[in-house]
Amino acid sequence: MTAATITTPPAESGRARRRSVLWLVGPLVLIVAIPVADHFLPPDIHLAHLLIVAPAVTSAVAGPRLTALIGGLAVAALVIAGAERGSLATESVLVELASLAALCVLLALFSLLRNRHELELLRVRSVSDATQRVVLRPLPDRAGPVSIASEYRSAEADTRIGGDLFAVARVCDSTRLVIGDVRGKGLASISDTAIMLGAFRAAAHRQAPLPELVAYLEDAVRWGLAEFSESSRSEADTGERFVTAVVVDIPDNEPVIHVISCGHPPPLLLRNATATATALSVPDPALPLGLGGLSASSYVQTTFPFVHGDQLLLYTDGVSETRDAQGTFYPLAERAAAWTDQAPEAVVEKITADLKAYAAGPLDDDMALIVVQRDRTPAVTTAR
């Protein structure tokens, strides 16, 4: 689809046409009823001025052609009403005719301009949606021996990308994931999100060890943020821009996961056998990306057991820091522990629905959520 091409789903288009037809019933009834009523009413009661309601209602729900048609019928109805009373040539009726005709023209023009504005908005939205899907690609349902489910909500309405991010990549013998949170939220943080995701996709497919991957991300993010700040002439906040992230490597043939945390909330290990949700806190988390400037040797991966049936819950602070009406943070680990027997898709759906019900109002921060489950027993049981 190009920016100039807009498609509307057939069902939605059909519903819109039916709504327009239903809305036109009232104006048409009004146009017919007023001349008939004028014929039977006393001479001192005149309803013709109500005919303007018909094109006014039509212009609110229909296009310029239907508005012009209803306006023309309204003018014709006024002529008929005036002829029935024998007052068509009077000054009062002529003024009413001229006023009604002028208002109908203005309403048709208004409808035309509104339609053009809506089409332009639809074009912009289609381009925005396409851009967002390129930057924040949907995660696959499967990657190697693991199944994946995810959810993303932006803090800004009608926006599918913001300051939270996630991505997955396959190497020859493992699956790598990243989840992160750019400082800021909504549309203002999209450039930093694109920098981070571009760096991960460029490097994650390499066979480099996890510490080297994170060191590459640090260099790429720090360079990208500095270059963007220089080009946008906003160097004042360069040192305040960063990305918190967790990078995970899940080997295909070992019952473990390797984790490096860069100032991000720890993942949760969901274990069905014990119905528990355990935070995988690393002993020495690194600084957020864009602040450290560290070498690969400075990043230390921590290894945790991850056996068949285990699930890994990755999230951003838009989930864990959601508050209820009393200001209490959402108890993510406690709630997630109740759903350890569910499939990843069900866990994501339940947490998302529960989070919306828990919040005191609309979510005011970007939110990203990933659940990964190991579906296949590793062939090798020794951790490297």
Side-chain angles (χ1 to χ4, degrees):
M1 179 189 297
T2 65
T5 303
I6 302 173
T7 58
T8 304
E12 182 178 343
S13 178
R15 286 193 296 268
R17 283 195 297 268
R18 286 193 293 271
R19 285 196 299 267
S20 296
V21 170
L22 290 175
W23 273 101
L24 287 177
V25 172
L28 289 173
V29 170
L30 191 64
I31 289 171
V32 173
I34 285 179
V36 174
D38 260 3
H39 179 74
F40 294 101
L41 290 173
D44 58 334
I45 300 178
H46 192 38
L47 301 179
H49 58 278
L50 295 177
L51 285 167
I52 188 57
V53 175
V57 170
T58 305
S59 67
V61 297
R65 292 183 180 179
L66 280 177
T67 301
L69 174 62
I70 296 297
L73 293 175
V75 171
L78 180 55
V79 171
I80 293 172
E84 287 178 344
R85 290 175 172 265
S87 58
L88 184 58
T90 62
E91 182 177 350
S92 175
V93 174
L94 290 176
V95 170
E96 286 184 2
L97 276 171
S99 300
L100 180 59
L103 285 172
C104 288
V105 170
L106 290 175
L107 288 170
L109 180 61
F110 163 78
S111 181
L112 176 63
L113 294 176
R114 187 200 63 214
N115 274 13
R116 288 182 177 178
H117 176 73
E118 289 177 351
L119 286 174
E120 184 63 27
L121 183 62
L122 190 56
R123 290 190 185 96
V124 172
R125 186 170 295 175
S126 66
V127 173
S128 174
D129 288 348
T131 302
Q132 291 166 9
R133 289 183 181 277
V134 169
V135 175
L136 191 68
R137 302 170 190 167
L139 299 187
D141 295 333
R142 295 198 59 81
V146 298
S147 56
I148 304 172
S150 61
E151 180 67 25
Y152 190 97
R153 299 288 176 90
S154 174
E156 297 192 16
D158 300 324
T159 305
R160 297 182 182 176
I161 185 173
D164 290 357
L165 58 94
F166 51 55
V168 63
R170 279 288 299 168
V171 294
C172 65
D173 59 352
S174 69
T175 301
R176 290 177 169 179
L177 298 104
V178 63
I179 189 166
D181 187 355
V182 174
R183 178 182 178 270
K185 61 184 179 181
L187 292 172
S189 57
I190 290 181
S191 61
D192 297 352
T193 300
I195 291 170
M196 174 66 181
L197 289 175
F200 177 78
R201 290 171 183 142
H205 296 281
R206 302 173 184 175
Q207 300 301 315
L210 203 59
E212 291 185 16
L213 169 62
V214 179
Y216 175 86
L217 293 178
E218 162 63 30
D219 291 340
V221 168
R222 189 156 48 89
W223 176 83
L225 295 181
E227 183 185 48
F228 182 83
S229 296
E230 182 178 354
S231 64
S232 61
R233 300 184 180 181
S234 59
E235 299 180 10
D237 68 339
T238 302
E240 300 177 3
R241 298 170 63 192
F242 54 84
V243 182
T244 66
V246 168
V247 185
V248 176
D249 184 81
I250 307 175
D252 292 352
N253 297 316
E254 298 180 47
V256 298
I257 53 173
H258 308 298
V259 179
I260 294 181
S261 176
C262 300
H264 197 80
L268 294 177
L269 177 65
L270 309 183
R271 183 152 286 169
N272 185 28
T274 56
T276 56
T278 307
L280 303 184
S281 300
V282 302
D284 296 308
L287 291 173
L289 299 173
L291 295 180
L294 304 177
S295 63
S297 60
S298 302
Y299 294 103
V300 179
Q301 70 182 22
T302 304
T303 302
F304 299 94
F306 191 58
V307 300
H308 172 71
D310 283 354
Q311 294 183 348
L312 184 68
L313 173 59
L314 304 164
Y315 58 95
T316 59
D317 59 10
V319 177
S320 57
E321 295 184 3
T322 294
R323 299 174 184 264
D324 63 7
Q326 287 71 44
T328 305
F329 287 125
Y330 179 69
L332 177 60
E334 176 185 332
R335 300 295 178 89
W339 301 315
T340 55
D341 60 337
Q342 303 288 317
E345 296 83 359
V347 175
V348 168
E349 290 175 1
K350 289 180 179 296
I351 292 178
T352 302
D354 190 49
L355 194 67
K356 291 173 63 178
Y358 184 86
L363 300 180
D364 59 359
D365 196 4
D366 300 323
M367 181 207 84
L369 185 67
I370 307 174
V371 175
V372 182
Q373 177 174 293
R374 186 184 287 279
D375 296 328
R376 191 171 69 224
T377 303
V380 181
T381 58
T382 57
R384 58 183 174 187

